[in-house]
Amino acid sequence: MLIKRKRGWELPESAVTPEHIYLNRRNLMKAAGGGLLTAAGAGLIAPGFAAAQQDWGTVRGASEGDPTADLYPVTRNPAYTVDRPVTDAEFATTYNNFYEFGSHKEIWRAAQDLEIRPWTVRFDGMVEEEREIDIDQLIRAMPLEERIYRLRCVEAWSMVVPWSGFQMSHLIDYARPLSSARYVRMETFLDPDMASGQQQAWYPWPYVEGLTMDEAMNELAFMVTGMYGQPVTRQNGAPLRIHAPWKYGFKSLKSIVRITFTDERPLTFWEEVASNEYGFWANVNPEVPHRRWSQARERDIATDEMIPTQLYNGYAEFVEGLYENRQDEALFM
Ligand SMILES: Nc1nc2c(c(=O)[nH]1)N[C@H]1C(S)=C(S)[C@@H](COP(=O)(O)O)O[C@H]1N2
Ligand SMILES: [Mo]
């Protein structure tokens, strides 16, 4: 199967990238041509990238005293950027979905109750060896980079965020799954005393999400540990969340404590709540409406501008190939 797609580095980036970074990229390209750049080579990008001063607005609920604060900002990977301005941090950190802390958008203060240390992540199921690992050990073992990604919620709002973290494929290598594993199932914490939303018994806590192994290995799938050049805030899913930007936002699970490799498709949180409205695949498609509203356009949460939604949220060239042999599936709900 030969897939012709534009590589990330062929995308126009001048729209959101300050000129000195853009120019630096040419040195990067030279390095790539000279064979200096490997797949995990984000760390090789000229130091000038990380030094870039950005005015991205105020991060609310910044994780003060976060033991990983010294790691940020991290080097930007210029292969992942978008043709839309970065969303002011004030909006991205005060307009959230995190049902563990309430079923409305204004949960950012309540989410400060989230205790982010000590925090461990458990790897189990079809792995060579089940393990539980301390979050700081994990974060410090991974090659961190910054990527500017779109996020499109199924509720038809969207934003653009500079996330920091590491490619999910590195996490999978680290977890050492068996070749028989077909899905990655991810789970959020369960602690109704800490997270009052979890006292609402009609939701199937804890929040669970999942990807197929090939989706999880796709270069776009990203484990988030930071945002706007700082550790990720509690309301945005500290200390570890995923972002799969070609899918609706509900696939991007926050505050992960457990990662299970399995050969059974996981039943996800929203599927369990309403399987006729929210499916497993949940790929963004402007032409497939939600049962109760159109998905053709989306509202930018900072400007309220209505903009056209793109197939796979603008990432078709990266992910189309994943679905060539899955056309009989409900890929867009
Ligand atoms: N654990 C958990 N993860 C979650 C959610 C949630 O309620 N709980 N909401 C999801 C939804 S619907 C969206 S749109 C995004 C929102 O991410 P943001 O608050 O960083 O914008 O988080 C996703 N991850
Ligand atoms: Mo969402």
Side-chain angles (χ1 to χ4, degrees):
M1 170 172 66
L2 186 68
I3 304 154
K4 166 70 187 137
R5 67 159 174 77
K6 231 204 274 181
R7 308 234 194 108
W9 51 262
E10 292 175 307
L11 299 174
E13 66 174 71
S14 44
V16 290
T17 311
E19 191 178 39
H20 67 282
I21 290 180
Y22 187 65
L23 294 177
N24 248 339
R25 199 181 71 119
R26 291 165 55 187
N27 296 334
L28 171 72
M29 306 288 286
K30 271 193 242 155
L36 279 173
L37 203 71
T38 65
L44 295 176
I45 296 167
F49 280 104
Q53 280 304 309
Q54 307 273 358
D55 184 13
W56 279 326
T58 306
V59 171
R60 297 290 168 193
S63 293
E64 232 166 87
D66 186 303
T68 59
D70 62 295
L71 294 171
Y72 304 95
V74 296
T75 304
R76 181 181 308 163
N77 186 337
Y80 307 98
T81 191
V82 303
D83 55 4
R84 240 177 94 186
V86 164
T87 301
D88 189 297
E90 173 104 34
F91 290 89
T93 57
T94 60
Y95 184 92
N96 301 101
N97 271 335
F98 202 167
Y99 277 64
E100 285 80 347
F101 294 98
S103 53
H104 51 85
K105 297 292 179 286
E106 291 75 37
I107 54 75
W108 77 270
R109 282 178 205 279
Q112 304 313 308
D113 288 346
L114 177 63
E115 286 160 25
I116 55 172
R117 294 295 186 288
W119 192 280
T120 55
V121 181
R122 184 175 172 76
F123 297 99
D124 60 11
M126 302 171 99
V127 286
E128 280 176 29
E129 188 195 352
E130 300 201 344
R131 289 192 283 173
E132 196 161 293
I133 171 113
D134 177 73
I135 189 69
D136 293 304
Q137 228 178 308
L138 177 69
I139 293 175
R140 288 179 192 276
M142 292 289 133
L144 299 183
E145 56 178 276
E146 180 179 80
R147 298 185 178 189
I148 296 177
Y149 273 165
R150 294 183 181 84
L151 184 150
R152 169 61 156 85
C153 174
V154 73
E155 301 160 337
W157 53 265
S158 73
M159 61 181 184
V160 173
V161 173
W163 300 110
S164 310
F166 50 91
Q167 195 163 299
M168 192 174 188
S169 61
H170 296 306
L171 184 82
I172 294 187
D173 291 345
Y174 187 85
R176 287 185 275 125
L178 304 177
S179 57
S180 45
R182 294 180 53 215
Y183 299 93
V184 192
R185 178 188 183 278
M186 290 162 283
E187 201 177 283
T188 305
F189 65 86
L190 180 62
D191 188 343
D193 291 333
M194 178 177 74
S196 60
Q198 290 186 331
Q199 291 166 17
Q200 304 198 318
W202 54 89
Y203 287 113
W205 309 111
Y207 198 125
V208 165
E209 259 304 336
L211 296 172
T212 62
M213 282 298 283
D214 59 347
E215 288 178 325
M217 290 299 287
N218 186 273
E219 68 181 277
L220 284 184
F222 198 58
M223 303 306 299
V224 170
T225 60
M227 65 193 301
Y228 296 95
Q230 306 182 25
V232 63
T233 68
R234 289 168 171 81
Q235 64 270 29
N236 293 93
L240 183 71
R241 72 177 281 178
I242 162 186
H243 187 41
W246 71 100
K247 292 179 176 285
Y248 290 116
F250 68 84
K251 296 293 294 181
S252 290
L253 189 71
K254 295 177 171 180
S255 306
I256 297 169
V257 297
R258 183 176 172 203
I259 296 175
T260 306
F261 295 87
T262 166
D263 56 3
E264 273 171 48
R265 184 181 297 185
L267 178 61
T268 63
F269 182 82
W270 287 110
E271 251 186 310
E272 201 171 339
V273 171
S275 61
N276 55 345
E277 299 195 12
Y278 308 103
F280 173 80
W281 297 99
N283 295 306
V284 175
N285 188 337
E287 288 174 8
V288 179
H290 183 270
R291 289 185 81 225
R292 291 181 280 132
W293 58 84
S294 163
Q295 295 290 25
R297 299 195 307 152
E298 61 202 58
R299 180 180 61 86
D300 181 304
I301 60 166
T303 64
D304 277 344
E305 196 187 336
M306 294 299 295
I307 52 183
T309 289
Q310 300 177 52
L311 182 60
Y312 295 109
N313 200 22
Y315 297 100
E317 65 264 44
F318 291 92
V319 297
E320 247 162 14
L322 291 170
Y323 305 107
E324 277 179 356
N325 299 318
R326 291 174 167 145
Q327 293 301 314
D328 51 342
E329 301 270 353
L331 294 172
F332 305 107
M333 77 157 273

